[in-house]
Amino acid sequence: MTRMVRSQGLTPRFWRFEAMDRSAPVWVLTAAALGLLILLPLGWLGFMSVSGEGGITLDHYARVFTDLRLQKALWNTVVLAFWSGLAALAIGLPMAWLSARTDLPCKRVIKSLVMASFVTPPFLGAFAWVMLAGPNAGYLNKLYRSLTGAEGALVNIFTMPGLVFVVALYTFPYVYIMIVNTLELIASDLEEAASILGANHLWVALGITLPMVLPAILSGFILAVLQALALFGSPAILALPAGFHTITTQIWALFQYPPRVEMAAAFSVPLLLATALLLLVQKRLLGRRGYAAVGGKGQARRPIPLGFWRYPALLGCLAVLACAVFLPYGILAKAGFSRAWAQPFTWDNFTLANWSFTFLYSSTQAAIVNTLELGILTACVGAGLATLLAYIINRKLIVGHQLLAFLVLAPVVIPGVVLAVALFIAYTRPPFLLYGTLWILFVAYLTKEMPVGYSQSDATFRGIQPELEEAGRILGAGRLRVLYEITAPLARSGIIATWCFIFIGVIRELSASIILFTPNTKVISVVIFDLKEEGQFGAIAVLGLFMLVMTFATVVLMQTLLGRDVLGSRQSGG
Amino acid sequence: MLGVTIKGLTKRYGDVAAVKGLDLLVKPGELVALLGPSGCGKTTTLRLVAGFLKPEQGEIWVGEHCLSSPAAVVPPERRRMAMIFQSYALWPHMTVAQNVAYGLRFNGVTKPDRDRRVKDMLRIVQLEGYGSRYPGELSGGQQQRVAVARALVVEPEILLLDEPLSNLDANLREEMRFEIRRLHETFGITTLYVTHDQAEAMVISDRVAVLEKGRVVQIGTALDLFDQPRTRFVAEFIGKTNLIDGTAESPSTVARGALTLRVASADLTPGAPVVVSIRPHQIELAPGEPASASAPRGENVLTGTMLRASYLGDAVDYQVQLEQSDVVLRVTGPTPPRARAGERVALRIAPAACVPLADSA
């Protein structure tokens, strides 16, 4: 018997192309990329937080924990995060239950509106609510005064409760999505068993359904808290005028002239650790799969009839969505088209001047161009990277792929402000002097959006069984041909979805941009922030509306072309 | 046609060896079933033969070429094999005709030839006219036939099947068993067929290799395995059996308590523990008292009491408590039932039907 196969046109040494050899270049490149994106900046952050005049010092940390102002900022952040998490839960849980489990009317409309709230940048919502509920000129307060003849305000948005309210309005979708997805997995026979035994619907909901979704509820709560912790825009708009700080605004303040970078670094590290800890807890709660696995195949369920409560429940949901979507969008539209936003909307007041002013203003134009450039670039690079990594990790093409997956998802732990501080420290010095260019923003956005992009790509490749590729290979197609002819067409819609998610995330980003921008490298969100200082609400509204239009255009593109929506469920076929 | 030779194949996943020193010889044109419970290594073996996995030890030869060894593995696309997967793995974005034609594109087959061969093959699997449909529009049985067509049209040297009938309902499965056997007899391709269903293995294959814990414990025709199981595992896995733990009294008899059986062997070691396997349908049931101690043609004659007689429609299943020992024997006999519960019965068992098992110790 002859040994190695020469007659089939190949040599044994060439085919000793094992997993180990293939992985080396990938590992080197990825390690370098991740090192640059994450480890280097975080390393500098840590170093800066302990460096002082005479070398290593813990002075900065000492100041963080003893300075009264800073202590207050810490406390305010805890209060904000906790209460807005709770509020998000109080809104999201009932809405999710109503959507997934009952015969609530107009469910698709509700779901779409929740999605609209999900993609609305929270700082835009905060601006809108200033126009709605500012104590003096706020629309609602003026309405109240004209109706009741009272002197004071009905609500003052420039308070901690006001801030909690606004934050909750834009973080409750996270809770909603998490719980709806879980509820849709639970077969209803467990609940029906209870019903047959005589339990009424409320009892069933509280006694059977609730415990099963508890992990998802807790996880949703933690997600909402994490979002609240990392927010910069809403606290900056609502808390600063009220005279209090949160950690994120405090870090930003430390960057204003003269910048106290070491203090900012020292302040960032506890925030980072807190976020990491919360994420660890959340992961434990959900196990490996990242969502509450309750078994069941999501078979058809009997929706619980609400009877008399149908329309009250619908009104409740619509009231929430009015606060999150209708009222803010409405006031933004009004402000965009009014000469003086606080005056009633009459024909006199109507103007298109805001639009021409904003779009003809050169720095706004530059900002729009920057935003679009960065959005497209980050989405393309991010989607490409995410797709490649997801494929490699899903098909286990290299050794240690689990570690790689962990590293790709790691940036989710870093709040935007902290990331910005770290990047600032790392890239305002040689060898990579990126500060002052759009590149530092690109790096920030790419790092921040990688987890979202990777999650979507991961889901895409999980849906493409390896057997589909193996079938191609055994019939004679090489690995690359299989990728091109079989995998790519099947992954196409998932890749486009990844692109869209990253694009949307970039155009609305604020917390990192606000620290890393320079006069030449502003983006839309930063310009909006500038305009706030000048009280130019008309221009703010215009830019805000523009941002919303871009976001919704992308979402609609995704929905019509690809048949999937932002909330992650396929539209056709259920 | 080429044969497949597997020598000492070992594949580990972490600390666990899915395949452990597996040896197998598949003759050219033969259909060998790899049969065993889940976790026995049959799918891993198949994937090693296909070239998707690399062995830690051992070699896989096809004809005179070594295709897999710890040093190198010829990639799947160069092995001139075809595979039918449990999930069929039809490409949803291609039509049936495109699916079937896929492998032909890499063999230098011209387009007119390709179309003709695809059409012929679709006719053979009884899917004529389905070429322009998409897999999503077909039923499970139809999808399975597309998978078969796709594999056969490339005229592979070796055909690999990974539990292709598992996803079909019972009636269709039976029908498809005969279909696959018919196709094998038409085309004569050397085939490895993985299954956990013993009836399927016995209908479809020329020989069955029974796998346990990563190695082949017995290989033979269905008849060999049924009548001459070598180990406890094989005896219990293939069909039903009675197992009697006893001790060898003489080179050809085994005793348990007052029970003595003449067995199908003449070289037992007296005093050694022996397990004897007796198939239920090879026991003859006669109601009433046995004739006096005559043992016609050296047969074993036993007496006992009927515990239960279950009428199964096409056969009767009896349980008999033996007088001579604590053993309860299961007997399968033709209808109508010959005795009822509580009656005394006699059992006649030929020594050839009492098979001492090799792993008795």
Side-chain angles (χ1 to χ4, degrees):
Chain A
M1 283 207 200
T2 54
R3 261 314 191 149
M4 290 318 221
V5 189
R6 283 200 186 271
S7 58
Q8 292 198 344
L10 37 81
T11 61
R13 242 175 294 129
F14 177 63
W15 288 115
R16 211 183 296 137
F17 194 34
E18 312 151 27
M20 211 24 150
D21 294 345
R22 236 181 314 185
S23 69
V26 176
W27 260 117
V28 169
L29 281 172
T30 321
L34 287 169
L36 234 76
L37 287 181
I38 301 173
L39 298 174
L40 184 66
L42 285 184
W44 274 113
L45 183 76
F47 176 69
M48 263 307 182
S49 65
V50 293
S51 61
E53 306 288 315
I56 303 291
T57 167
L58 287 176
D59 260 358
H60 309 301
Y61 282 113
R63 286 250 294 281
V64 163
F65 289 107
T66 56
D67 184 325
L68 221 61
R69 272 178 322 146
L70 300 178
Q71 278 189 340
K72 273 197 132 166
L74 272 168
W75 175 246
N76 289 330
T77 309
V78 170
V79 168
L80 170 66
F82 178 73
W83 284 110
S84 52
L86 219 55
L89 198 62
I91 301 173
L93 177 58
M95 278 182 77
W97 181 74
L98 287 170
S99 288
R101 273 285 191 245
T102 67
D103 63 347
L104 183 77
C106 311
K107 273 189 210 176
R108 280 182 62 184
V109 173
I110 301 271
K111 224 170 179 175
S112 302
L113 289 171
V114 173
M115 177 220 69
S117 165
F118 184 61
V119 297
T120 308
F123 67 87
L124 215 55
F127 271 122
W129 273 96
V130 166
M131 290 193 277
L132 283 169
N136 297 323
Y139 187 77
L140 293 175
N141 290 321
K142 288 176 72 175
L143 200 63
Y144 168 72
R145 279 195 286 268
S146 69
L147 287 178
T148 63
E151 285 277 317
L154 176 60
V155 284
N156 180 2
I157 202 74
F158 293 109
T159 56
M160 179 58 95
L163 180 58
V164 169
F165 171 70
V166 170
V167 170
L169 283 179
Y170 299 102
T171 52
F172 90 84
Y174 289 92
V175 178
Y176 177 88
I177 293 169
M178 188 130 252
I179 298 183
V180 160
N181 285 342
T182 308
L183 283 176
E184 282 177 355
L185 279 180
I186 302 178
S188 63
D189 43 6
L190 289 167
E191 299 167 332
E192 286 171 7
S195 290
I196 289 179
L197 290 171
N200 70 23
H201 289 302
L202 192 63
W203 214 100
V204 171
L206 291 178
I208 309 281
T209 323
L210 193 63
M212 283 199 289
V213 266
L214 209 50
I217 292 177
L218 289 174
S219 174
F221 172 72
I222 292 180
L223 258 184
V225 166
L226 281 169
Q227 294 297 315
L229 273 179
L231 279 179
F232 167 77
S234 304
I237 295 166
L238 298 177
L240 291 182
F244 64 93
H245 270 281
T246 61
I247 295 187
T248 48
T249 59
Q250 187 62 70
I251 293 175
W252 171 77
L254 287 167
F255 255 81
Q256 304 311 101
Y257 194 80
R260 280 154 291 164
V261 178
E262 297 86 1
M263 283 298 295
F267 218 36
S268 303
V269 173
L271 182 59
L272 179 62
L273 291 176
T275 330
L277 187 65
L278 280 171
L279 270 169
L280 198 68
V281 172
Q282 194 229 18
K283 218 172 151 68
R284 278 288 160 77
L285 273 175
L286 295 183
R288 274 182 302 118
R289 267 178 281 182
Y291 63 91
V294 290
K297 292 181 243 166
Q299 306 128 353
R301 293 171 309 277
R302 274 187 319 117
I304 298 172
L306 291 170
F308 166 72
W309 293 101
R310 270 188 113 207
Y311 286 99
L314 178 64
L315 281 174
C317 293
L318 287 176
V320 169
L321 292 166
C323 290
V325 180
F326 300 134
L327 288 174
Y329 286 29
I331 201 80
L332 282 174
K334 177 176 183 251
F337 290 100
S338 311
R339 239 182 282 271
W341 70 271
Q343 298 305 319
F345 198 53
T346 63
W347 191 245
D348 269 347
N349 207 3
F350 178 82
T351 176
L352 291 174
N354 291 323
W355 292 83
S356 49
F357 160 71
T358 311
F359 287 108
L360 294 179
Y361 189 32
S362 60
S363 65
T364 325
Q365 283 180 341
I368 293 176
V369 168
N370 287 340
T371 308
L372 286 174
E373 271 180 6
L374 281 167
I376 294 173
L377 180 66
T378 315
C380 290
V381 173
L385 256 181
T387 304
L388 187 67
L389 284 170
Y391 183 73
I392 291 176
I393 293 171
N394 245 286
R395 298 293 184 248
K396 306 189 170 60
L397 290 183
I398 62 177
V399 178
H401 51 89
Q402 298 102 324
L403 179 59
L404 193 57
F406 174 76
L407 285 175
V408 176
L409 289 171
V412 77
V413 146
I414 311 173
V417 168
V418 174
L419 180 66
V421 172
L423 287 173
F424 177 87
I425 298 173
Y427 297 124
T428 47
R429 59 194 68 226
F432 298 110
L433 256 165
L434 295 179
Y435 186 68
T437 68
L438 283 177
W439 289 106
I440 199 171
L441 288 170
F442 168 70
V443 171
Y445 296 158
L446 187 64
T447 311
K448 211 176 170 213
E449 299 300 326
M450 267 312 277
V452 165
Y454 175 77
S455 299
Q456 179 59 43
S457 296
D458 185 50
T460 303
F461 285 111
R462 271 182 212 280
I464 303 178
Q465 299 165 291
E467 287 184 348
L468 290 170
E469 295 170 351
E470 288 170 354
R473 293 201 66 199
I474 198 87
L475 286 171
R479 219 183 240 290
L480 282 178
R481 183 187 279 273
V482 163
L483 262 173
Y484 183 70
E485 291 182 351
I486 295 175
T487 322
L490 293 173
R492 198 188 48 175
S493 69
I495 296 176
I496 295 179
T498 306
W499 192 98
C500 289
F501 274 115
I502 297 179
F503 182 74
I504 293 176
V506 168
I507 60 181
R508 58 184 247 171
E509 209 290 322
L510 174 66
S511 50
S513 317
I514 201 72
I515 294 196
L516 293 175
F517 81 93
T518 59
N520 289 336
T521 59
K522 290 192 189 179
V523 290
I524 297 182
S525 51
V526 171
V527 170
I528 290 181
F529 217 71
D530 275 351
L531 291 169
K532 169 185 88 101
E533 306 297 323
E534 303 169 27
Q536 296 259 28
F537 279 93
I540 291 177
V542 165
L543 280 176
L545 288 169
F546 178 71
M547 199 186 264
L548 286 173
V549 164
M550 273 204 299
T551 306
F552 280 108
T554 314
V555 169
V556 167
L557 180 88
M558 241 185 11
Q559 274 183 233
T560 52
L561 277 193
L562 309 178
R564 55 174 77 208
D565 61 46
V566 177
L567 296 185
S569 49
R570 284 207 159 269
Q571 284 198 322
S572 50
Chain B
M1 263 312 125
L2 299 173
V4 179
T5 308
I6 304 177
K7 294 196 280 211
L9 195 65
T10 303
K11 176 70 184 168
R12 262 183 276 273
Y13 288 109
D15 294 327
V16 181
V19 177
K20 230 186 318 202
L22 191 143
D23 294 301
L24 182 65
L25 181 70
V26 182
K27 306 193 197 98
E30 194 181 23
L31 197 163
V32 170
L34 296 176
L35 176 67
S38 50
C40 69
K42 51 193 195 293
T43 299
T44 309
T45 305
L46 200 75
R47 293 171 65 82
L48 282 159
V49 174
F52 295 127
L53 299 172
K54 183 148 152 285
E56 264 93 34
Q57 284 168 352
E59 289 172 351
I60 300 177
W61 291 71
V62 171
E64 300 195 351
H65 302 297
C66 177
L67 292 190
S68 292
S69 76
V73 170
V74 175
E77 57 265 25
R78 301 282 212 147
R79 290 165 94 98
R80 299 189 37 74
M81 298 182 183
M83 188 158 169
I84 301 176
F85 297 85
Q86 188 173 357
S87 67
Y88 318 136
L90 299 181
W91 300 303
H93 60 297
M94 296 189 206
T95 61
V96 165
Q98 286 169 330
N99 265 276
V100 176
Y102 195 74
L104 293 174
R105 292 164 50 210
F106 312 115
N107 288 1
V109 180
T110 61
K111 186 150 186 356
D113 257 346
R114 272 209 307 264
D115 292 340
R116 182 185 49 83
R117 281 167 71 166
V118 167
K119 255 196 147 132
D120 285 344
M121 188 52 71
L122 285 178
R123 198 172 19 93
I124 293 178
V125 297
Q126 289 154 22
L127 282 178
E128 197 160 9
Y130 279 75
S132 53
R133 303 239 193 137
Y134 281 90
E137 304 168 33
L138 303 178
S139 71
Q142 290 168 329
Q143 288 181 5
Q144 210 256 359
R145 278 181 274 156
V146 175
V148 171
R150 185 174 68 178
L152 291 179
V153 80
V154 295
E155 294 171 6
E157 298 277 0
I158 312 285
L159 182 62
L160 305 169
L161 296 106
D162 189 0
E163 307 207 44
L165 305 182
S166 301
N167 290 353
L168 301 174
D169 61 59
N171 286 341
L172 206 48
R173 223 180 297 159
E174 270 210 38
E175 200 185 298
M176 285 308 295
R177 271 185 221 163
F178 295 114
E179 244 332 273
I180 291 185
R181 181 69 206 173
R182 181 181 72 85
L183 286 167
H184 174 73
E185 282 164 4
T186 311
F187 290 100
I189 305 176
T190 312
T191 306
L192 271 175
Y193 188 104
V194 163
T195 180
H196 62 270
D197 183 329
Q198 59 141 114
E200 196 169 289
M202 288 163 83
V203 166
I204 282 187
S205 57
D206 295 317
R207 281 191 301 157
V208 178
V210 180
L211 270 73
E212 190 197 3
K213 301 211 181 99
R215 39 163 62 99
V216 177
V217 290
Q218 190 170 353
I219 181 166
T221 62
L223 192 68
D224 291 339
L225 289 173
F226 205 83
D227 282 353
Q228 316 271 337
R230 237 185 271 141
T231 70
R232 198 180 194 121
F233 175 75
V234 175
E236 285 180 315
F237 196 75
I238 311 275
K240 301 191 287 279
T241 190
N242 293 294
L243 292 174
I244 301 175
D245 290 278
T247 323
E249 249 188 6
S250 78
S252 62
T253 56
V254 171
R256 181 191 173 91
L259 173 69
T260 309
L261 287 172
R262 270 174 284 272
V263 298
S265 165
D267 33 41
L268 298 175
T269 314
V274 180
V275 179
V276 179
S277 156
I278 310 176
R279 297 287 184 191
H281 71 278
Q282 291 176 325
I283 305 175
E284 199 196 315
L285 189 76
E289 300 291 330
S292 58
S294 65
R297 288 157 290 143
E299 268 187 1
N300 295 300
V301 180
L302 311 169
T303 50
T305 317
M306 180 68 66
L307 288 180
R308 203 186 65 216
S310 311
Y311 180 67
L312 297 175
D314 52 1
V316 187
D317 197 57
Y318 306 97
Q319 282 198 334
V320 178
Q321 169 70 59
L322 290 183
E323 232 170 58
Q324 294 93 342
S325 135
D326 58 347
V327 172
V328 175
L329 283 183
R330 215 171 150 187
V331 184
T332 305
T335 55
R338 290 209 188 148
R340 285 201 305 267
E343 290 178 4
R344 262 195 109 211
V345 291
L347 303 176
R348 286 205 154 89
I349 316 174
C354 302
V355 182
L357 300 177
D359 62 349
S360 299

